[in-house]
Amino acid sequence: KQTLLPLLKEEISSFIFPCKPAVQRPERQHMVMELLRCIPLLLFLLFVCGLDHFIFTILSVIQNHSFIEYSYQTSHHLSVNVMGTSLMAQLLRGTIGALNTSFDTEVETSNLACLPRPTGMTRQQYLNTCLPLGALAVLCLAQVYPFRLRRAIAAFYFPKREKARVLFLYNKLLRQRKNFLDLQHGRVARQARQPPTLGTVLLRWCRRHWPWLRRCLRQKCTLCGTPETPQHQPCPNPECFALYCESCW
């Protein structure tokens, strides 16, 4: 409840407000861790796509520059002529003449059947391969909104546990504020004991003698460091030049 325990500026960044559409600081840390877990998958996907393209390039080079075609031609002519008109000549022509042959041989072959026939992946196939990883990254960004419902669901089923959690958070904030005030008191005291620097003295002198320069030479809150506004309160001690914003004051 804002009326019970209004949050300070330093405390707002450590809480998650379910009604705010922007991703808040605690959610951003968890979201970054989830996105970092996607980096190994992204590197593996890039390695696989690069290896696929590399193998396709090598096979394409082999297909285009390793084609060999063989052409083999041969001719064979055997002719035995037996001259004469005698009985022996006629007998030889009848027997040896059967050996007369003539044929031509022409053979053409190539290594086309042994060459690889690679098929490269299209852009649509690469896109379909990377689409699940992109969907995973989008889910890492969008999961912060369903996670905000966890406390409401747990509070609905376990109201006593929710009451104990709220009480614990309330006491924890009170202890943190007390420790924060003690730390800031010591820090401001140490800062006040230190001698002012030349730039600080010059800034105070200019603001004292030329009040119209205060819009340009604005101071900051001693505790949280927010720039000076009309709501800032100066320290009532005239010897102290500290300035505090409304929440720190």
Side-chain angles (χ1 to χ4, degrees):
K1 300 292 185 180
Q2 291 293 331
T3 57
L4 180 63
L5 186 66
L7 296 177
L8 301 178
K9 293 182 180 179
E10 295 79 9
E11 298 172 345
I12 292 178
S13 59
S14 61
F15 285 89
I16 298 176
F17 298 91
C19 297
K20 287 187 177 181
V23 179
Q24 301 167 49
R25 183 178 178 182
E27 298 173 328
R28 195 180 301 114
Q29 295 176 356
H30 182 72
M31 181 182 64
V32 170
M33 294 301 299
E34 293 293 335
L35 290 177
L36 290 178
R37 294 178 183 178
C38 298
I39 292 180
L41 296 176
L42 177 61
L43 296 178
F44 176 74
L45 184 62
L46 293 177
F47 172 75
V48 171
C49 293
L51 183 63
D52 173 78
H53 182 72
F54 176 72
I55 295 176
F56 170 73
T57 303
I58 292 178
L59 295 180
S60 299
V61 171
I62 294 175
Q63 182 187 20
N64 296 329
H65 299 280
S66 299
F67 177 73
I68 300 176
E69 185 176 10
Y70 302 92
S71 180
Y72 177 73
Q73 296 179 354
T74 181
S75 298
H76 181 75
H77 299 281
L78 178 62
S79 178
V80 179
N81 296 323
V82 180
M83 308 300 294
T85 58
S86 62
L87 181 62
M88 182 59 70
Q90 293 177 3
L91 183 61
L92 290 175
R93 278 195 296 269
T95 56
I96 300 177
L99 298 176
N100 295 338
T101 57
S102 178
F103 62 87
D104 297 327
T105 303
E106 184 176 355
V107 179
E108 292 185 359
T109 184
S110 64
N111 63 343
L112 183 62
C114 302
L115 292 178
R117 295 179 178 86
T119 303
M121 294 179 61
T122 61
R123 293 184 178 179
Q124 185 64 32
Q125 291 174 337
Y126 278 114
L127 181 61
N128 294 336
T129 305
C130 300
L131 190 60
L133 185 60
L136 180 61
V138 172
L139 289 177
C140 292
L141 298 176
Q143 70 178 353
V144 296
Y145 300 104
F147 280 178
R148 295 180 182 180
L149 300 176
R150 293 179 297 179
R151 190 206 61 83
I153 296 174
F156 178 79
Y157 287 102
F158 305 98
K160 294 183 179 180
R161 185 67 174 177
E162 175 68 12
K163 184 178 180 180
R165 292 178 68 249
V166 172
L167 185 60
F168 172 79
L169 178 62
Y170 180 79
N171 295 328
K172 178 183 176 182
L173 283 177
L174 292 181
R175 289 193 301 267
Q176 288 180 350
R177 289 186 180 183
K178 184 177 182 303
N179 296 333
F180 176 76
L181 289 177
D182 293 340
L183 292 175
Q184 293 300 330
H185 286 163
R187 186 176 69 86
V188 172
R190 289 192 301 269
Q191 184 178 354
R193 285 192 294 265
Q194 295 178 357
T197 60
L198 180 60
T200 305
V201 175
L202 182 60
L203 178 63
R204 293 174 183 175
W205 186 83
C206 293
R207 288 171 56 87
R208 187 182 304 110
H209 289 78
W210 297 296
W212 55 273
L213 287 177
R214 293 184 177 181
R215 295 184 178 180
C216 302
L217 304 177
R218 294 193 300 175
Q219 288 182 322
K220 294 182 179 180
C221 177
T222 307
L223 293 180
C224 62
T226 56
E228 180 183 1
T229 60
Q231 287 75 24
H232 278 57
Q233 298 290 337
C235 181
N237 187 359
E239 298 180 357
C240 180
F241 297 93
L243 190 68
Y244 302 93
C245 63
E246 186 177 3
S247 59
C248 295
W249 178 255

